[in-house]
Amino acid sequence: MAAGVIGAFTAVLRRELRLAARARAEWLMPPLFFVIVVTLFGLGAKPNDPLLADFAPAILWVGALLAALLTLERLFRADYEDGTLEQIFIAPAPAIAAIAAKLSAHWLLTGLPLALLAAPLAAALGFPSAALPALTAGLALGTPVLSLIGGFAAALTVGLPRAGVLLPLLVLPLVTPIVIFGAGAARAAQSGLPADAPLYFLAAVLVLGLTLLPWATTAALRNAFE
Amino acid sequence: MSLIAVENLAVARGGRTLLRGLDLAVQAGEVLHLRGGNGAGKTSLLEVLCGLRVPLEGAFRQRPEPQALHWLGHKNALNLALTPLENLGFWCGLNSVAEDALLPVLQRLGIERLRHRPCRTLSAGQKRRCALARLLLAPRPLWLLDEPLDGLDAQGLGLFAQLLAEHLGRGGAAIVTSHQPLPPGVPGVREWQLA
Protein backbone atom coordinates (compact mmCIF):
# COMPACT_ATOMS: atom_id res chain seq x y z
CA MET A 1 0.00 0.00 0.00
CA ALA A 2 2.72 2.49 1.01
CA ALA A 3 4.67 1.68 -2.17
CA GLY A 4 1.53 2.39 -4.22
CA VAL A 5 1.05 5.77 -2.53
CA ILE A 6 4.65 6.83 -3.16
CA GLY A 7 4.51 5.47 -6.71
CA ALA A 8 1.36 7.44 -7.49
CA PHE A 9 2.77 10.61 -5.89
CA THR A 10 6.02 10.48 -7.88
CA ALA A 11 4.23 9.53 -11.12
CA VAL A 12 1.95 12.58 -10.89
CA LEU A 13 4.79 14.90 -9.82
CA ARG A 14 7.00 13.76 -12.72
CA ARG A 15 4.13 14.21 -15.16
CA GLU A 16 3.41 17.74 -13.89
CA LEU A 17 7.07 18.77 -14.20
CA ARG A 18 7.25 17.24 -17.69
CA LEU A 19 4.11 19.11 -18.76
CA ALA A 20 5.57 22.34 -17.36
CA ALA A 21 8.78 21.79 -19.31
CA ARG A 22 6.70 21.31 -22.46
CA ALA A 23 4.46 24.37 -21.97
CA ARG A 24 6.92 26.96 -20.68
CA ALA A 25 4.57 29.91 -21.22
CA GLU A 26 2.26 28.44 -18.60
CA TRP A 27 4.63 28.64 -15.64
CA LEU A 28 6.65 31.65 -16.81
CA MET A 29 3.45 33.71 -16.80
CA PRO A 30 3.09 34.19 -12.98
CA PRO A 31 6.68 35.41 -12.35
CA LEU A 32 6.51 37.74 -15.36
CA PHE A 33 3.14 39.08 -14.22
CA PHE A 34 4.59 39.63 -10.73
CA VAL A 35 7.60 41.55 -12.07
CA ILE A 36 5.42 43.72 -14.31
CA VAL A 37 2.89 44.60 -11.59
CA VAL A 38 5.59 45.54 -9.07
CA THR A 39 7.48 47.55 -11.69
CA LEU A 40 4.29 49.44 -12.60
CA PHE A 41 3.88 50.47 -8.96
CA GLY A 42 7.41 51.85 -9.06
CA LEU A 43 6.71 53.70 -12.30
CA GLY A 44 3.37 55.05 -11.11
CA ALA A 45 4.80 56.56 -7.93
CA LYS A 46 6.87 59.73 -7.58
CA PRO A 47 10.56 59.12 -8.51
CA ASN A 48 12.53 57.98 -5.45
CA ASP A 49 9.44 58.23 -3.27
CA PRO A 50 10.43 56.91 0.19
CA LEU A 51 6.78 55.98 0.79
CA LEU A 52 7.14 53.20 -1.79
CA ALA A 53 9.36 51.27 0.64
CA ASP A 54 6.63 51.58 3.28
CA PHE A 55 4.07 50.13 0.89
CA ALA A 56 6.44 47.46 -0.47
CA PRO A 57 5.13 44.61 1.76
CA ALA A 58 1.53 45.20 0.64
CA ILE A 59 2.52 45.62 -3.03
CA LEU A 60 4.63 42.45 -3.05
CA TRP A 61 2.07 40.33 -1.23
CA VAL A 62 -0.88 41.39 -3.35
CA GLY A 63 1.19 41.04 -6.54
CA ALA A 64 2.29 37.52 -5.55
CA LEU A 65 -1.28 36.48 -4.71
CA LEU A 66 -2.70 37.71 -8.00
CA ALA A 67 0.17 36.11 -9.94
CA ALA A 68 -0.36 32.76 -8.25
CA LEU A 69 -4.07 32.87 -9.18
CA LEU A 70 -3.19 32.86 -12.89
CA THR A 71 -2.33 29.15 -13.09
CA LEU A 72 -4.95 27.93 -10.61
CA GLU A 73 -7.81 27.49 -13.03
CA ARG A 74 -5.85 25.01 -15.14
CA LEU A 75 -4.74 22.97 -12.11
CA PHE A 76 -7.40 20.24 -12.40
CA ARG A 77 -9.39 21.31 -15.44
CA ALA A 78 -7.30 19.64 -18.15
CA ASP A 79 -7.23 16.35 -16.21
CA TYR A 80 -10.96 16.58 -15.62
CA GLU A 81 -11.70 17.18 -19.27
CA ASP A 82 -9.41 14.51 -20.75
CA GLY A 83 -10.41 11.77 -18.29
CA THR A 84 -7.11 11.50 -16.39
CA LEU A 85 -8.93 12.36 -13.16
CA GLU A 86 -11.19 9.31 -13.64
CA GLN A 87 -8.10 7.09 -13.89
CA ILE A 88 -6.67 8.71 -10.75
CA PHE A 89 -9.84 7.93 -8.79
CA ILE A 90 -10.13 4.38 -10.18
CA ALA A 91 -6.48 3.52 -9.43
CA PRO A 92 -5.78 1.20 -6.46
CA ALA A 93 -3.63 3.83 -4.70
CA PRO A 94 -5.65 6.40 -2.71
CA ALA A 95 -6.43 9.46 -4.83
CA ILE A 96 -5.09 11.75 -2.09
CA ALA A 97 -1.53 10.80 -3.16
CA ALA A 98 -2.07 12.06 -6.70
CA ILE A 99 -3.93 15.19 -5.57
CA ALA A 100 -1.20 16.04 -3.02
CA ALA A 101 1.35 15.68 -5.83
CA LYS A 102 -0.62 18.09 -8.03
CA LEU A 103 -0.81 20.65 -5.19
CA SER A 104 2.94 20.28 -4.50
CA ALA A 105 3.69 20.76 -8.19
CA HIS A 106 1.61 23.92 -8.24
CA TRP A 107 3.62 25.36 -5.38
CA LEU A 108 6.97 24.28 -6.89
CA LEU A 109 6.14 25.85 -10.26
CA THR A 110 4.26 28.97 -9.10
CA GLY A 111 4.66 29.76 -5.39
CA LEU A 112 8.36 29.02 -4.99
CA PRO A 113 9.53 31.19 -7.95
CA LEU A 114 7.36 34.04 -6.65
CA ALA A 115 8.83 33.74 -3.13
CA LEU A 116 12.36 33.79 -4.58
CA LEU A 117 11.62 36.73 -6.87
CA ALA A 118 10.23 38.87 -4.05
CA ALA A 119 13.66 39.77 -2.59
CA PRO A 120 15.15 41.46 -5.70
CA LEU A 121 11.84 43.21 -6.40
CA ALA A 122 11.67 44.43 -2.79
CA ALA A 123 15.19 45.82 -3.09
CA ALA A 124 14.10 47.66 -6.24
CA LEU A 125 11.28 49.30 -4.26
CA GLY A 126 13.78 50.55 -1.67
CA PHE A 127 12.86 47.96 0.96
CA PRO A 128 15.65 47.70 3.61
CA SER A 129 17.83 44.65 2.99
CA ALA A 130 17.90 43.78 6.72
CA ALA A 131 14.16 43.01 6.50
CA LEU A 132 14.41 40.82 3.38
CA PRO A 133 14.68 37.49 5.30
CA ALA A 134 11.37 38.16 7.06
CA LEU A 135 9.66 39.00 3.76
CA THR A 136 11.02 35.90 2.00
CA ALA A 137 10.24 33.64 4.96
CA GLY A 138 6.69 34.98 5.04
CA LEU A 139 6.21 34.29 1.34
CA ALA A 140 7.80 30.85 1.65
CA LEU A 141 5.24 30.00 4.35
CA GLY A 142 2.31 31.80 2.74
CA THR A 143 2.51 30.67 -0.90
CA PRO A 144 1.97 26.95 -0.07
CA VAL A 145 -1.19 27.96 1.82
CA LEU A 146 -2.30 29.79 -1.30
CA SER A 147 -1.68 26.67 -3.41
CA LEU A 148 -3.72 24.62 -0.92
CA ILE A 149 -6.67 27.04 -0.64
CA GLY A 150 -6.56 27.78 -4.36
CA GLY A 151 -6.42 24.07 -5.18
CA PHE A 152 -9.49 23.48 -3.04
CA ALA A 153 -11.37 26.30 -4.80
CA ALA A 154 -10.22 25.02 -8.20
CA ALA A 155 -11.51 21.55 -7.28
CA LEU A 156 -14.90 22.97 -6.25
CA THR A 157 -15.28 24.82 -9.55
CA VAL A 158 -13.74 22.20 -11.88
CA GLY A 159 -17.05 21.30 -13.52
CA LEU A 160 -18.23 24.88 -14.00
CA PRO A 161 -17.91 26.46 -17.43
CA ARG A 162 -16.62 29.93 -16.42
CA ALA A 163 -14.66 29.16 -13.27
CA GLY A 164 -11.91 31.64 -14.17
CA VAL A 165 -14.06 34.58 -13.04
CA LEU A 166 -15.36 32.87 -9.91
CA LEU A 167 -12.00 31.60 -8.66
CA PRO A 168 -10.46 34.92 -7.47
CA LEU A 169 -13.72 35.80 -5.71
CA LEU A 170 -13.59 32.49 -3.84
CA VAL A 171 -9.88 32.45 -3.06
CA LEU A 172 -8.99 36.05 -2.22
CA PRO A 173 -11.29 36.46 0.83
CA LEU A 174 -9.95 33.17 2.22
CA VAL A 175 -6.33 34.28 2.03
CA THR A 176 -6.75 37.60 3.88
CA PRO A 177 -5.13 36.20 7.08
CA ILE A 178 -2.10 35.22 5.02
CA VAL A 179 -1.76 38.76 3.66
CA ILE A 180 -2.26 40.37 7.06
CA PHE A 181 0.39 38.27 8.81
CA GLY A 182 2.76 37.93 5.82
CA ALA A 183 2.88 41.65 5.17
CA GLY A 184 2.83 42.19 8.94
CA ALA A 185 6.05 40.17 9.34
CA ALA A 186 7.73 42.23 6.63
CA ARG A 187 6.55 45.51 8.18
CA ALA A 188 7.71 44.49 11.65
CA ALA A 189 11.17 43.64 10.32
CA GLN A 190 11.18 46.92 8.39
CA SER A 191 10.68 48.92 11.57
CA GLY A 192 13.31 46.88 13.41
CA LEU A 193 10.85 44.84 15.49
CA PRO A 194 10.95 41.02 15.85
CA ALA A 195 8.93 39.26 13.13
CA ASP A 196 8.68 35.88 14.86
CA ALA A 197 5.05 36.11 15.97
CA PRO A 198 3.46 36.66 12.54
CA LEU A 199 5.81 34.07 10.99
CA TYR A 200 4.81 31.49 13.61
CA PHE A 201 1.18 32.27 12.87
CA LEU A 202 1.78 31.71 9.14
CA ALA A 203 3.50 28.41 9.93
CA ALA A 204 0.52 27.37 12.06
CA VAL A 205 -1.90 28.19 9.20
CA LEU A 206 0.31 26.19 6.82
CA VAL A 207 0.24 23.15 9.10
CA LEU A 208 -3.51 23.45 9.48
CA GLY A 209 -3.91 23.71 5.70
CA LEU A 210 -1.63 20.73 5.08
CA THR A 211 -3.64 18.54 7.43
CA LEU A 212 -7.09 19.52 6.08
CA LEU A 213 -7.09 20.84 2.55
CA PRO A 214 -5.60 17.96 0.49
CA TRP A 215 -8.40 15.72 1.79
CA ALA A 216 -11.06 18.37 1.20
CA THR A 217 -9.73 18.91 -2.34
CA THR A 218 -9.87 15.17 -3.06
CA ALA A 219 -13.46 15.03 -1.81
CA ALA A 220 -14.45 18.03 -3.92
CA LEU A 221 -12.95 16.43 -7.03
CA ARG A 222 -14.71 13.14 -6.37
CA ASN A 223 -17.92 15.14 -6.10
CA ALA A 224 -17.30 16.57 -9.58
CA PHE A 225 -18.24 13.19 -11.11
CA GLU A 226 -21.72 13.27 -9.64
CA MET B 1 -18.59 -17.27 -9.92
CA SER B 2 -19.65 -13.75 -10.76
CA LEU B 3 -17.02 -11.03 -10.98
CA ILE B 4 -19.49 -8.27 -10.30
CA ALA B 5 -23.09 -8.40 -9.13
CA VAL B 6 -25.56 -5.72 -8.12
CA GLU B 7 -29.18 -5.87 -7.02
CA ASN B 8 -32.04 -3.43 -7.13
CA LEU B 9 -29.76 -0.71 -8.43
CA ALA B 10 -31.06 2.78 -9.20
CA VAL B 11 -28.89 5.21 -11.11
CA ALA B 12 -29.42 8.96 -11.29
CA ARG B 13 -27.61 11.70 -13.12
CA GLY B 14 -28.11 15.41 -12.53
CA GLY B 15 -31.10 14.77 -10.26
CA ARG B 16 -32.93 12.57 -12.81
CA THR B 17 -33.40 8.87 -12.17
CA LEU B 18 -32.34 6.97 -15.28
CA LEU B 19 -32.48 3.33 -14.17
CA ARG B 20 -34.38 1.62 -11.40
CA GLY B 21 -34.61 -1.92 -10.01
CA LEU B 22 -31.66 -3.24 -11.97
CA ASP B 23 -30.30 -6.71 -11.10
CA LEU B 24 -27.15 -7.59 -12.91
CA ALA B 25 -24.38 -10.17 -12.58
CA VAL B 26 -21.48 -10.98 -14.88
CA GLN B 27 -19.72 -14.35 -14.79
CA ALA B 28 -16.17 -15.15 -15.83
CA GLY B 29 -15.90 -15.69 -19.58
CA GLU B 30 -18.90 -13.52 -20.36
CA VAL B 31 -19.36 -10.21 -22.18
CA LEU B 32 -22.34 -8.07 -21.28
CA HIS B 33 -23.18 -5.76 -24.17
CA LEU B 34 -25.26 -2.83 -22.84
CA ARG B 35 -27.51 -1.29 -25.45
CA GLY B 36 -29.92 1.61 -25.29
CA GLY B 37 -30.65 4.95 -26.91
CA ASN B 38 -28.85 8.19 -26.14
CA GLY B 39 -29.51 9.18 -22.55
CA ALA B 40 -30.66 5.70 -21.51
CA GLY B 41 -28.06 5.68 -18.74
CA LYS B 42 -25.40 3.35 -20.14
CA THR B 43 -22.45 5.55 -19.19
CA SER B 44 -23.93 6.42 -15.78
CA LEU B 45 -24.45 2.73 -15.05
CA LEU B 46 -20.83 1.94 -15.96
CA GLU B 47 -19.65 4.80 -13.75
CA VAL B 48 -21.60 3.35 -10.84
CA LEU B 49 -20.20 -0.12 -11.49
CA CYS B 50 -16.60 1.12 -11.53
CA GLY B 51 -17.12 3.18 -8.37
CA LEU B 52 -16.90 6.72 -9.78
CA ARG B 53 -20.57 7.45 -9.11
CA VAL B 54 -22.65 6.61 -6.05
CA PRO B 55 -25.85 4.65 -6.84
CA LEU B 56 -29.14 6.24 -5.84
CA GLU B 57 -30.19 2.96 -4.19
CA GLY B 58 -29.31 -0.71 -4.34
CA ALA B 59 -26.17 -2.52 -3.35
CA PHE B 60 -23.27 -4.57 -4.65
CA ARG B 61 -23.53 -8.28 -3.93
CA GLN B 62 -20.07 -8.74 -5.41
CA ARG B 63 -17.84 -5.69 -5.72
CA PRO B 64 -14.52 -5.92 -7.57
CA GLU B 65 -11.37 -4.52 -5.94
CA PRO B 66 -9.81 -1.48 -7.69
CA GLN B 67 -6.88 -3.64 -8.80
CA ALA B 68 -9.31 -6.13 -10.37
CA LEU B 69 -10.99 -3.83 -12.88
CA HIS B 70 -10.11 -1.70 -15.88
CA TRP B 71 -12.15 1.38 -16.68
CA LEU B 72 -12.08 2.86 -20.16
CA GLY B 73 -14.36 5.89 -20.31
CA HIS B 74 -15.43 7.61 -23.48
CA LYS B 75 -12.62 10.05 -22.71
CA ASN B 76 -9.21 8.56 -23.46
CA ALA B 77 -7.34 9.96 -20.42
CA LEU B 78 -4.47 11.05 -22.66
CA ASN B 79 -2.80 14.43 -22.17
CA LEU B 80 -2.45 15.90 -25.66
CA ALA B 81 0.93 17.51 -24.94
CA LEU B 82 2.50 14.18 -23.94
CA THR B 83 3.41 11.23 -26.17
CA PRO B 84 1.65 7.84 -25.92
CA LEU B 85 4.74 6.44 -24.20
CA GLU B 86 4.69 9.22 -21.55
CA ASN B 87 0.92 8.97 -21.05
CA LEU B 88 0.98 5.20 -20.60
CA GLY B 89 4.16 5.37 -18.52
CA PHE B 90 2.36 7.78 -16.18
CA TRP B 91 -0.55 5.32 -15.92
CA CYS B 92 1.90 2.53 -15.02
CA GLY B 93 3.42 4.69 -12.27
CA LEU B 94 -0.01 5.66 -10.95
CA ASN B 95 -1.01 1.99 -10.73
CA SER B 96 2.41 0.65 -9.62
CA VAL B 97 2.65 -1.49 -12.76
CA ALA B 98 6.05 -2.35 -14.31
CA GLU B 99 6.78 -0.38 -17.47
CA ASP B 100 8.62 -3.19 -19.32
CA ALA B 101 5.41 -4.32 -20.98
CA LEU B 102 4.90 -0.94 -22.67
CA LEU B 103 6.70 -1.59 -25.95
CA PRO B 104 5.25 -5.06 -26.69
CA VAL B 105 1.77 -3.75 -25.89
CA LEU B 106 2.17 -0.78 -28.24
CA GLN B 107 3.37 -3.21 -30.93
CA ARG B 108 0.37 -5.42 -30.34
CA LEU B 109 -1.95 -2.45 -30.91
CA GLY B 110 -0.02 -1.31 -33.98
CA ILE B 111 0.93 2.10 -32.58
CA GLU B 112 4.61 1.55 -31.72
CA ARG B 113 5.68 3.93 -34.53
CA LEU B 114 3.63 6.74 -32.95
CA ARG B 115 5.04 6.36 -29.47
CA HIS B 116 7.21 9.50 -29.56
CA ARG B 117 4.61 11.77 -31.17
CA PRO B 118 2.55 14.15 -29.04
CA CYS B 119 -0.99 12.82 -28.71
CA ARG B 120 -2.45 15.99 -30.22
CA THR B 121 -1.06 14.87 -33.61
CA LEU B 122 -2.81 11.48 -33.45
CA SER B 123 -6.14 10.64 -35.07
CA ALA B 124 -9.21 9.71 -33.00
CA GLY B 125 -8.72 6.01 -33.76
CA GLN B 126 -5.02 6.11 -32.87
CA LYS B 127 -5.84 7.76 -29.55
CA ARG B 128 -8.47 5.10 -28.88
CA ARG B 129 -5.85 2.41 -29.49
CA CYS B 130 -3.54 4.13 -26.96
CA ALA B 131 -6.35 4.06 -24.40
CA LEU B 132 -7.04 0.37 -25.16
CA ALA B 133 -3.34 -0.36 -24.52
CA ARG B 134 -3.99 0.08 -20.77
CA LEU B 135 -6.11 -3.09 -20.80
CA LEU B 136 -3.01 -5.10 -21.69
CA LEU B 137 -0.53 -3.29 -19.42
CA ALA B 138 -1.98 -4.90 -16.30
CA PRO B 139 -3.95 -8.15 -16.32
CA ARG B 140 -7.25 -7.45 -14.56
CA PRO B 141 -10.26 -9.77 -14.68
CA LEU B 142 -13.06 -7.25 -15.25
CA TRP B 143 -13.09 -4.71 -18.10
CA LEU B 144 -15.65 -1.89 -18.06
CA LEU B 145 -15.56 -0.28 -21.50
CA ASP B 146 -17.61 2.72 -22.58
CA GLU B 147 -17.92 2.86 -26.38
CA PRO B 148 -14.54 1.19 -26.94
CA LEU B 149 -15.11 0.92 -30.70
CA ASP B 150 -15.29 4.71 -31.20
CA GLY B 151 -13.05 5.73 -34.07
CA LEU B 152 -11.51 2.29 -34.65
CA ASP B 153 -11.00 1.17 -38.27
CA ALA B 154 -11.85 -2.30 -39.64
CA GLN B 155 -8.46 -3.67 -38.62
CA GLY B 156 -8.85 -2.08 -35.19
CA LEU B 157 -12.25 -3.74 -34.74
CA GLY B 158 -10.70 -7.13 -35.58
CA LEU B 159 -7.89 -6.49 -33.12
CA PHE B 160 -10.37 -5.49 -30.40
CA ALA B 161 -12.37 -8.72 -30.97
CA GLN B 162 -9.14 -10.71 -30.71
CA LEU B 163 -8.07 -8.99 -27.45
CA LEU B 164 -11.51 -9.46 -25.93
CA ALA B 165 -11.65 -13.13 -26.93
CA GLU B 166 -8.21 -13.76 -25.37
CA HIS B 167 -9.29 -11.94 -22.21
CA LEU B 168 -12.41 -14.13 -21.94
CA GLY B 169 -10.32 -17.25 -22.58
CA ARG B 170 -8.22 -16.36 -19.52
CA GLY B 171 -11.35 -16.28 -17.37
CA GLY B 172 -11.96 -12.56 -17.68
CA ALA B 173 -15.23 -10.76 -18.21
CA ALA B 174 -16.31 -7.45 -19.68
CA ILE B 175 -19.21 -5.02 -19.66
CA VAL B 176 -19.27 -3.02 -22.88
CA THR B 177 -21.50 -0.23 -24.13
CA SER B 178 -21.63 0.21 -27.88
CA HIS B 179 -24.13 1.50 -30.38
CA GLN B 180 -22.79 -0.81 -33.08
CA PRO B 181 -22.84 -4.60 -32.72
CA LEU B 182 -19.65 -6.04 -31.25
CA PRO B 183 -17.29 -7.32 -33.96
CA PRO B 184 -17.64 -11.04 -34.82
CA GLY B 185 -15.31 -13.48 -33.11
CA VAL B 186 -16.18 -12.62 -29.51
CA PRO B 187 -17.70 -15.63 -27.71
CA GLY B 188 -20.21 -15.42 -24.88
CA VAL B 189 -21.81 -12.09 -25.73
CA ARG B 190 -25.03 -11.38 -23.87
CA GLU B 191 -27.02 -8.36 -24.96
CA TRP B 192 -28.84 -6.24 -22.41
CA GLN B 193 -31.29 -3.62 -23.53
CA LEU B 194 -31.70 -0.65 -21.19
CA ALA B 195 -35.19 0.80 -21.41
Side-chain angles (χ1 to χ4, degrees):
Chain A
M1 194 60 163
V5 171
I6 294 166
F9 184 90
T10 46
V12 173
L13 196 61
R14 275 179 54 193
R15 173 172 178 273
E16 292 297 307
L17 298 180
R18 181 173 275 154
L19 279 171
R22 210 139 296 175
R24 286 194 196 88
E26 193 111 327
W27 62 273
L28 280 176
M29 206 162 49
L32 273 178
F33 177 87
F34 189 37
V35 171
I36 291 169
V37 166
V38 173
T39 314
L40 284 178
F41 267 101
L43 292 174
K46 217 163 38 170
N48 292 322
D49 192 345
L51 281 178
L52 208 50
D54 292 346
F55 281 112
I59 296 172
L60 289 163
W61 265 92
V62 172
L65 284 186
L66 295 179
L69 278 179
L70 289 177
T71 49
L72 265 185
E73 201 215 338
R74 301 294 305 157
L75 185 55
F76 298 115
R77 180 158 295 246
D79 292 340
Y80 174 72
E81 282 169 358
D82 72 17
T84 304
L85 219 47
E86 293 176 2
Q87 293 295 336
I88 286 177
F89 276 96
I90 293 295
I96 177 86
I99 304 306
K102 291 213 58 124
L103 294 171
S104 315
H106 181 263
W107 179 70
L108 279 177
L109 293 165
T110 306
L112 186 61
L114 293 176
L116 296 176
L117 256 179
L121 288 173
L125 290 175
F127 193 73
S129 52
L132 283 180
L135 176 78
T136 310
L139 278 162
L141 291 169
T143 45
V145 181
L146 184 72
S147 290
L148 290 166
I149 294 178
F152 177 55
L156 282 176
T157 57
V158 75
L160 302 180
R162 283 173 58 81
V165 195
L166 190 60
L167 211 50
L169 292 181
L170 273 176
V171 175
L172 291 176
L174 290 174
V175 295
T176 36
I178 310 298
V179 179
I180 294 171
F181 288 94
R187 265 186 289 111
Q190 204 174 6
S191 18
L193 300 169
D196 311 20
L199 288 180
Y200 277 126
F201 184 84
L202 282 179
V205 173
L206 174 58
V207 171
L208 185 69
L210 279 174
T211 47
L212 290 179
L213 287 170
W215 280 267
T217 306
T218 309
L221 286 171
R222 181 175 283 285
N223 210 32
F225 295 116
E226 289 296 313
Chain B
M1 192 198 77
S2 50
L3 293 174
I4 189 168
V6 293
E7 58 187 3
N8 193 29
L9 202 71
V11 177
R13 184 179 199 118
R16 275 187 57 229
T17 307
L18 299 170
L19 301 166
R20 201 174 269 290
L22 194 79
D23 293 314
L24 180 154
V26 178
Q27 321 293 328
E30 185 182 42
V31 178
L32 188 66
H33 180 189
L34 294 178
R35 306 202 69 161
N38 297 129
K42 303 185 293 296
T43 298
S44 305
L45 173 59
L46 276 189
E47 284 173 356
V48 167
L49 293 180
C50 75
L52 273 179
R53 186 178 283 278
V54 183
L56 195 62
E57 51 188 67
F60 281 86
R61 265 192 295 125
Q62 170 70 39
R63 178 164 211 160
E65 293 286 313
Q67 52 267 36
L69 73 86
H70 269 299
W71 159 247
L72 176 70
H74 68 96
K75 299 184 241 179
N76 289 321
L78 298 170
N79 188 295
L80 297 182
L82 300 177
T83 66
L85 209 54
E86 289 165 344
N87 269 310
L88 296 173
F90 160 69
W91 187 87
C92 289
L94 186 67
N95 288 277
S96 302
V97 170
E99 292 186 28
D100 350 324
L102 267 176
L103 214 54
V105 165
L106 289 176
Q107 270 162 2
R108 181 79 206 277
L109 283 144
I111 45 173
E112 82 275 14
R113 281 182 303 108
L114 313 170
R115 65 183 186 274
H116 293 305
R117 273 174 47 183
C119 283
R120 76 170 80 255
T121 65
L122 305 185
S123 77
Q126 288 168 334
K127 279 185 253 186
R128 206 60 183 154
R129 284 177 187 231
C130 288
L132 286 170
R134 291 198 192 98
L135 302 175
L136 304 186
L137 284 172
R140 294 180 177 179
L142 183 63
W143 292 1
L144 300 176
L145 314 174
D146 193 7
E147 296 288 342
L149 309 178
D150 258 10
L152 291 183
D153 56 13
Q155 194 242 338
L157 292 179
L159 181 64
F160 175 76
Q162 224 179 341
L163 297 179
L164 197 52
E166 284 170 21
H167 172 62
L168 299 174
R170 283 191 300 263
I175 304 179
V176 181
T177 71
S178 172
H179 286 294
Q180 43 180 315
L182 294 186
V186 183
V189 179
R190 180 155 63 100
E191 287 212 2
W192 185 300
Q193 187 74 31
L194 295 180

